[in-house]
Amino acid sequence: MKALNEKGFAAPLKAFIASGKPIMGICVGMQVLFEGSDESPDEPGLGIFAGRVKHFDNTTKAVPHMGWNNAQVVHRDGLAVMPRIGEDKRYYFVHSYGLPFTAEGTQPQFVHTATRYGDEAVVSSVWKDNVFGTQFHPEKSGAAGLALLQSFIETDLIRPSAHNASVVAPRDIRDTLSVRVIACLDVRANDQGDLVVTKGDQYDVRVSADEGGHVRNLGKPVDLAKRYYDEGADEIAFLNITSFRNTPFKDTPMLEVLRQASRCIFVPLTIGGGVRDIVDPDGAHTWPAVSVAGEYFRSGADKVSIGSDAVYAAERYWARVAEGHEPLLDGSTAIEQIAGRYGRQAVVVSVDPRRVYVASPEDAADHHVIKTAIPGPSGEQYCWYQCTVKGGREGRDTDVRQLVTACAALGAGEILLNCMDRDGTNAGYDLELIADVKAAVSIPVIASSGAGKPEHFSEVVDRTGADAVLAAGIFHRREIPISAV
């Protein structure tokens, strides 16, 4: 609302709504229709509908609410024409704030659907007179979302306001959130300069010297991503593992990959690699990380993934803690700046840890040590997880628990948890690592590295509570279809 007021849009919006012409708000665009929000307590909303948007309780579940959930129609008006929301469909949600669904007051007059996330039911769409809005993102909800958008564009969606519709009770709103399945594509230039999808074994993307030593080529990025969308992937992640140091940032090939992908793929897209301060080769222009992220978003990305810079940011955070600085957050990190401008749901922290075995916790007194069921090479029964940077080439004196708690405090909205020890092994996810991180943070955690069969996906969800599962090579090589997950 602050931005709408500062840019002079609030009054024209109210005038447009009063004109009776159809208008649709999506996510925050729906939230501004209410009287206010805890996200900006001092900024009044447009006040079209009664109610105040509240923050989810993150002591009982991961926040943001991120993933595919149902939108349950709460009224039975018997209208011949309604927005095309299928109660047997799921739609993509990503939000930390929502309007509680109470079924009281004036809510029966404007609430169209409600959705349950854990112990809370929230309004997931509103519809009254010429105003329609969704908390979820139809443009990122695949075929079901496109059908809804089509119904808004092609149909005169006017809901009569003079009625006393009965609505279902909040307790009757079902919890249907699904675990997300994410297809990941490591993208780099091969030896001929062509952009290809590749996959490494423990981060080595080249075949053996006996086979020629070339970069594995598993397909073209957009073609492969479109295949995964068609096969039912919930999200697509592009991880850029080529620096493109000799290319001005505006010309980096990953921007064009995103533009092409967003024209044919209607699920969330994440881009990782190179989200940091960048100086063009000629030194004429410097791109702050928040501007780099902005270019990615404008090219079609929904989230950016930060790797090495997140480790450095966490180290600075703990240094400020040790030195007694107040406030702890000074706004200097890419995580803070991007989350501040685009929301924490737009920031993923990608972690590349490896096990360091120790004989006892005292041998790593400065780190979070766990007792492991997988002994070390000398029979060690304890280990800690060392964070790495530069694609796993350099270890840091920072453990995973330190990293994820710092990044969550800085404003990250999600953790992409890789494991160097399991990468490319097909031996299953590192359950100890994932369970430990889930216990440490209240933001969603994506399990990555090691999946080799369908049972590995269900195992990691059942035993760790992972919010999403990610795989790459087994999907690229068609060893497991996405539908089997």
Side-chain angles (χ1 to χ4, degrees), residues 143-478:
L146 296 181
L148 172 58
L149 290 173
Q150 184 178 24
S151 74
F152 173 77
I153 293 169
E154 298 180 354
T155 309
D156 189 14
L157 292 177
I158 303 295
R159 181 184 179 190
S161 57
H163 69 289
N164 292 305
S166 61
V167 296
V168 302
R171 65 177 179 274
D172 295 325
I173 304 301
R174 303 179 299 274
D175 187 354
T176 60
L177 181 68
S178 61
V179 175
R180 290 169 288 145
V181 178
I182 303 172
C184 180
L185 295 81
D186 292 341
V187 181
R188 67 158 289 165
N190 63 13
D191 297 327
Q192 290 73 44
D194 301 318
L195 211 59
V196 300
V197 176
T198 188
K199 185 67 186 79
D201 289 328
Q202 296 182 307
Y203 291 40
D204 183 0
V205 300
R206 292 185 179 274
V207 301
S208 67
D210 293 341
E211 298 175 280
H214 57 269
V215 173
R216 293 182 181 88
N217 182 352
L218 298 174
K220 296 181 179 179
V222 177
D223 292 346
L224 204 52
K226 179 60 164 61
R227 190 192 103 195
Y228 293 145
Y229 169 64
D230 292 339
E231 291 177 357
D234 294 319
E235 295 185 23
I236 307 291
F238 294 104
L239 298 184
N240 168 28
I241 58 175
T242 299
S243 64
F244 301 113
R245 291 187 181 89
N246 298 320
T247 304
F249 174 67
K250 268 283 194 180
D251 298 330
T252 185
M254 294 309 298
L255 292 172
E256 184 60 26
V257 167
L258 286 169
R259 294 185 193 107
Q260 293 182 23
S262 62
R263 294 187 186 111
C264 59
I265 296 170
F266 301 99
V267 296
L269 302 176
T270 298
I271 177 70
V275 182
R276 62 180 186 277
D277 294 349
I278 293 176
V279 180
D280 281 344
D282 60 4
H285 189 79
T286 298
W287 296 81
V290 67
S291 298
V292 170
E295 289 297 316
Y296 281 139
F297 293 140
R298 284 184 284 274
S299 298
D302 300 282
K303 297 184 274 188
V304 293
S305 175
I306 303 176
S308 296
D309 262 27
V311 179
Y312 304 141
E315 292 173 348
R316 289 196 296 273
Y317 174 87
W318 290 115
R320 290 179 67 82
V321 170
E323 294 165 4
H325 285 288
E326 291 290 345
L328 288 176
L329 308 185
D330 62 3
S332 64
T333 68
I335 296 173
E336 294 169 88
Q337 293 169 11
I338 297 169
R341 182 173 297 183
Y342 298 101
R344 71 183 305 150
Q345 80 290 336
V347 182
V348 182
V349 166
S350 180
V351 191
D352 294 323
R354 59 190 176 202
R355 286 184 172 225
V356 177
Y357 283 99
V358 291
S360 72
E362 290 73 24
D363 293 336
D366 294 333
H367 295 295
H368 177 71
V369 177
I370 67 167
K371 186 174 176 61
T372 177
I374 306 170
S378 300
E380 298 96 336
Q381 296 184 19
Y382 297 91
C383 73
W384 63 280
Y385 288 92
Q386 181 187 39
C387 294
T388 67
V389 297
K390 301 177 181 177
R393 296 188 299 275
E394 178 185 318
R396 305 290 290 187
D397 191 27
T398 300
D399 63 54
V400 165
R401 177 70 71 104
Q402 293 167 332
L403 175 70
V404 298
T405 54
C407 289
L410 289 166
E414 193 171 24
I415 300 296
L416 169 52
L417 189 55
N418 306 298
C419 179
M420 293 185 66
D421 307 290
R422 294 297 180 100
D423 184 63
T425 64
N426 290 0
Y429 296 98
D430 189 326
L431 303 179
E432 294 176 334
L433 168 64
I434 297 162
D436 192 60
V437 169
K438 273 294 293 180
V441 295
S442 60
I443 58 177
V445 175
I446 304 168
S448 175
S449 304
K453 57 184 179 180
E455 291 79 10
H456 287 153
F457 295 95
S458 56
E459 178 186 48
V460 71
V461 173
D462 293 341
R463 293 182 57 181
T464 73
D467 302 280
V469 291
L470 178 147
I474 58 172
F475 292 155
H476 302 336
R477 297 185 293 267
R478 298 181 185 269

Side-chain angles (χ1 to χ4, degrees), residues 34 49-50 99 106-112 125-128 159:
F34 300 110
F49 302 124
L99 182 75
T106 59
Q107 283 199 0
Q109 298 176 17
F110 66 81
V111 176
H112 184 53
S125 71
V126 295
W127 183 34
K128 181 181 179 182
R159 181 184 179 190

Side-chain angles (χ1 to χ4, degrees), residues 93 101 128 132 146 261 268:
F93 291 79
F101 174 57
K128 181 181 179 182
F132 177 58
L146 296 181

